[in-house]
């Protein structure tokens, strides 16, 4: 009878060990999923930051072009006035 109870205890411990291994495996999978989600979030945020930076550079480029065009117009107007003044003199 004692061997039956020892065998039963052995099976119980074996089942408990298997449960713990299964739980550890599940925890590992959960952590793996969490890590994957964090990587995706980081990648998404990096993409957003890149898009924002790209937009800012585009705006800066547009402002520089506008300033260059305005300067070009101003210089052209100054040249026209100087030509007109020279014709008067």
């Amino acid at each position: 009878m004692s061997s039956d109870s020892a065998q039963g205890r052995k099976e119980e411990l074996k089942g408990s060990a298997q449960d713990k291994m299964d739980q550890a495996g599940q925890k590992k999978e959960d952590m793996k999923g969490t890590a994957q989600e964090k990587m995706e979030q980081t990648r998404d945020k990096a993409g957003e930051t890149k898009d924002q930076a790209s937009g800012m550079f585009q705006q800066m480029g547009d402002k520089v072009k506008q300033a260059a065009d305005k300067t070009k117009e101003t210089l052209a107007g100054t040249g026209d006035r100087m030509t007109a003044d020279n014709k008067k003199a």
Side-chain angles (χ1 to χ4, degrees):
M1 186 122 177
S2 149
S3 76
D4 286 343
S5 68
Q7 183 65 29
R9 180 74 179 136
K10 182 178 175 185
E11 291 298 321
E12 184 180 316
L13 290 172
K14 188 176 179 183
S16 177
Q18 185 62 46
D19 289 345
K20 287 183 180 181
M21 286 175 51
D22 291 345
Q23 288 173 357
Q26 183 61 45
K27 188 173 183 179
K28 181 179 176 184
E29 288 298 316
D30 291 346
M31 290 176 69
K32 189 176 181 182
T34 300
Q36 183 67 29
E37 289 173 15
K38 286 184 179 181
M39 283 175 47
E40 289 172 5
Q41 289 172 353
T42 301
R43 189 177 305 124
D44 291 346
K45 188 166 186 157
E48 290 171 13
T49 302
K50 181 181 175 186
D51 292 344
Q52 289 173 348
S54 178
M56 287 174 22
F57 282 117
Q58 182 65 44
Q59 289 175 348
M60 287 174 29
D62 291 347
K63 287 180 181 180
V64 168
K65 184 172 180 350
Q66 289 172 355
D69 290 346
K70 189 172 184 177
T71 301
K72 190 174 173 183
E73 290 171 11
T74 301
L75 290 175
T78 301
D80 291 344
R81 282 194 303 277
M82 290 174 69
T83 302
D85 289 345
N86 286 339
K87 286 184 178 178
K88 287 181 186 176

